[in-house]
Amino acid sequence: MTFNEFAEQVQQIVQTTGPISSESKLVNDLGLDSLAISELVVGLVVELRIDSLLDDAETRDWTQTTVGDLYDRWRQATAA
Amino acid sequence: MTSKESTTPEIFPESFETRHLSLGPVGHTHFRELQTAELAAETAPRWRYRGATPSPERWAAGLSAEVAVQYVVSLKQSGRALGLVVLYGADPDCCFIHLGALRFQAGRFSPMLLVGTACVIDMALAEGRFRKLYLELPEYNLDQFGSGLRGALYEEARLPDHYFYAGATWAQVWLSITSDAWRSRNRRFLAMERQEEIAGQ
């Protein structure tokens, strides 16, 4: 899956539109609030099998997390 | 949340599991985390005893006062308890109920506790048990529900300068969710999370 395809998945899960780059921050750039981030975590874990997101979901600083960070996690998950 | 006598409509399961979470009753092993969270600066103004320290007897009695059901939300994988979700103040005639949620680690955003909270809302509203659900929260917690406000939550009332926290006064805000609004919302992620339960229905 390319980054653009991954970004489309993210947009579908949190129902946002607009451009997404790998540097886009979930909170500041995509405007996601806590509820939307929760939806995103479950969506990515269930649909893309990024189970490792659950490992640090409670400790991660979501205000600094970018879409690129999540894409990297997906690539790690699929490489494992 | 505030408390009176227990009204326990026996319509909620004592515990249930979702794909990643276990939701179960409060046990004595949770008492320390619960009391610590209740006394945290951001929580104390809005939770049961408003930061006061009740006697052990009063505290234990208050755990179930006016509570319809309450769940400690834990991660299935690690067993770590994230917080408490409470449904209280049920009115079976008018079919409304109130919801409160408390993070055990104050100040830390807990996405999976919110998922657990949404699962409890889903159980109360989407399955036809209640028609309307109320949330009472301080203004400083409102931002985390922005997307929910656009989607399903409705601001019913606002009491200006109600709380004092972090050197400032904040409004108390009453939000509501109706079962119709909740059902019309995108519940796809919840269906995914509750897959085991939905499959078992």
Side-chain angles (χ1 to χ4, degrees):
Chain A
M1 177 164 39
T2 65
F3 174 80
N4 286 342
E5 290 168 335
F6 181 84
E8 279 180 25
Q9 290 268 1
V10 168
Q11 285 181 316
Q12 281 180 16
I13 292 169
V14 295
Q15 297 189 306
T16 61
T17 55
I20 293 184
S21 74
S22 61
E23 287 79 35
S24 297
K25 290 187 175 175
L26 301 182
V27 175
N28 286 347
D29 299 324
L30 271 60
L32 303 190
D33 60 18
S34 306
L35 214 53
I37 290 172
S38 300
E39 291 179 341
L40 183 61
V41 171
V42 172
L44 291 176
V45 169
V46 175
E47 294 206 330
L48 299 183
R49 318 297 289 172
I50 316 178
D51 291 1
S52 65
L53 270 185
L54 289 175
D55 296 340
D56 63 353
E58 305 297 317
T59 54
R60 171 184 285 273
D61 183 355
W62 289 97
T63 62
Q64 297 303 315
T65 300
T66 65
V67 179
D69 294 334
L70 299 178
Y71 183 58
D72 289 343
R73 292 298 284 270
W74 174 78
R75 291 204 301 184
Q76 290 166 12
T78 52
Chain B
M1 65 170 289
T2 54
S3 306
K4 292 179 193 165
E5 289 302 310
S6 176
T7 55
T8 309
E10 293 177 1
I11 54 175
F12 295 107
E14 186 178 275
S15 61
F16 66 99
E17 291 194 341
T18 69
R19 188 183 289 258
H20 302 105
L21 299 170
S22 294
L23 293 92
V26 179
H28 65 88
T29 54
H30 305 119
F31 284 4
R32 176 178 294 213
E33 289 168 298
L34 191 51
Q35 289 170 330
T36 303
E38 286 180 351
L39 293 172
E42 71 166 58
T43 310
R46 68 175 178 88
W47 200 255
R48 286 190 172 108
Y49 299 105
R50 312 295 188 201
T53 307
S55 67
E57 295 79 14
R58 187 173 165 227
W59 185 83
L63 267 181
S64 57
E66 211 192 350
V67 168
V69 71
Q70 57 189 335
Y71 299 106
V72 172
V73 179
S74 307
L75 290 172
K76 272 166 83 170
Q77 196 173 18
S78 64
R80 188 152 65 87
L82 305 175
L84 183 72
V85 181
V86 185
L87 288 172
Y88 67 101
D91 186 324
D93 297 325
C94 297
C95 293
F96 66 75
I97 197 162
H98 298 74
L99 176 115
L102 180 69
R103 274 189 306 247
F104 284 168
Q105 285 194 294
R108 177 167 283 172
F109 166 51
S110 173
M112 295 313 289
L113 177 60
L114 262 182
V115 170
T117 304
C119 288
V120 173
I121 295 172
D122 206 48
M123 192 177 64
L125 293 180
E127 295 173 10
R129 291 183 169 100
F130 287 92
R131 181 180 59 83
K132 199 171 185 185
L133 181 145
Y134 292 102
L135 296 89
E136 169 195 348
L137 69 160
E139 189 180 12
Y140 55 81
N141 277 350
L142 200 55
D143 282 351
Q144 64 184 308
F145 294 105
S147 66
L149 278 171
R150 286 194 296 276
L153 292 169
Y154 174 75
E155 185 174 316
E156 296 266 0
R158 181 177 285 252
L159 282 63
D161 299 330
H162 186 81
Y163 294 109
F164 184 78
Y165 166 68
T169 57
W170 304 82
Q172 179 183 20
V173 183
W174 283 87
L175 304 176
S176 72
I177 317 172
T178 64
S179 52
D180 287 344
W182 185 256
R183 277 193 288 261
S184 67
R185 188 173 178 274
N186 173 26
R187 291 170 55 237
R188 190 168 62 100
F189 90 101
L190 270 181
M192 291 190 291
E193 180 59 28
R194 299 191 67 197
Q195 186 180 47
E196 294 169 3
E197 175 142 312
I198 287 167
Q201 283 178 353

